[in-house]
Amino acid sequence: MTDSELATTDTGQNTTPRGQTHRNLLRRIGGAILLFSVVAVEPVAAQQSAVCTADNLPSMIEGFFQLTTALGIVGLAVVWQANSLIDMFTLSPDQKKGLKRHKRSALKSATILVVLGPLYTVAGSMMNLPLAQCVNLVPW
């Protein structure tokens, strides 16, 4: 039986085509997502200025971001130096490759940590995001 033919039940009654059932299911899911997004976004849109109007919240967010960025950079320096020290005492080429890969992943993580704040600040202000209007996430 093909998709264009009608499927029959055990009792011999005709039901809807299989393709139409999938379309109906997709429509219902799409409608539910649309309804959920409208209902979920509306309360958030009503509270857009709640972060900016709080007394010390923007400065606390900025301080937390600067602290975590500084700790990430210090962590990169510690990991880099520890890997260099271990590399001096490593004889196996496989272990050296693993240490090199670990250094590279630590550098990628620190780069993402340093770039993420300024990127959010610039992109958020361009998109008129409420948090980007009152919180500066540039770590320096």
Side-chain angles (χ1 to χ4, degrees), residues 68-134:
T68 55
T69 303
L71 288 175
I73 292 171
V74 169
L76 169 69
V78 169
V79 166
W80 195 274
Q81 291 301 318
N83 280 343
S84 296
L85 180 66
I86 294 171
D87 192 27
M88 289 191 296
F89 298 110
T90 302
L91 300 175
S92 168
D94 291 335
Q95 290 175 336
K96 288 188 184 234
K97 286 180 184 177
L99 287 171
K100 193 177 221 180
R101 192 172 35 247
H102 189 254
K103 274 185 179 179
R104 206 173 315 126
S105 90
L107 184 62
K108 285 179 186 178
S109 298
T111 303
I112 288 171
L113 187 63
V114 170
V115 169
L116 198 60
L119 182 66
Y120 176 78
T121 301
V122 170
S125 63
M126 288 172 52
M127 295 187 305
N128 293 325
L129 295 176
L131 187 63
Q133 302 298 326
C134 61

Side-chain angles (χ1 to χ4, degrees), residues 1-139:
M1 182 181 313
T2 63
D3 285 340
S4 62
E5 296 176 352
L6 293 175
T8 58
T9 60
D10 290 340
T11 60
Q13 297 174 338
N14 287 337
T15 59
T16 59
R18 290 182 186 168
Q20 188 176 3
T21 304
H22 292 296
R23 279 187 239 119
N24 287 340
L25 180 64
L26 288 176
R27 283 185 194 144
R28 287 182 184 169
I29 291 173
I33 290 172
L34 181 66
L35 179 66
F36 177 74
S37 65
V38 169
V39 171
V41 170
E42 190 165 340
V44 174
Q47 300 174 359
Q48 284 181 352
S49 63
V51 173
C52 296
T53 58
D55 289 336
N56 293 326
L57 189 58
S59 61
M60 287 174 61
I61 293 171
E62 289 174 7
F64 177 76
F65 187 76
Q66 289 172 354
L67 179 69
T68 55
T69 303
L71 288 175
I73 292 171
V74 169
L76 169 69
V78 169
V79 166
W80 195 274
Q81 291 301 318
N83 280 343
S84 296
L85 180 66
I86 294 171
D87 192 27
M88 289 191 296
F89 298 110
T90 302
L91 300 175
S92 168
D94 291 335
Q95 290 175 336
K96 288 188 184 234
K97 286 180 184 177
L99 287 171
K100 193 177 221 180
R101 192 172 35 247
H102 189 254
K103 274 185 179 179
R104 206 173 315 126
S105 90
L107 184 62
K108 285 179 186 178
S109 298
T111 303
I112 288 171
L113 187 63
V114 170
V115 169
L116 198 60
L119 182 66
Y120 176 78
T121 301
V122 170
S125 63
M126 288 172 52
M127 295 187 305
N128 293 325
L129 295 176
L131 187 63
Q133 302 298 326
C134 61
V135 177
N136 183 13
L137 295 180
V138 179

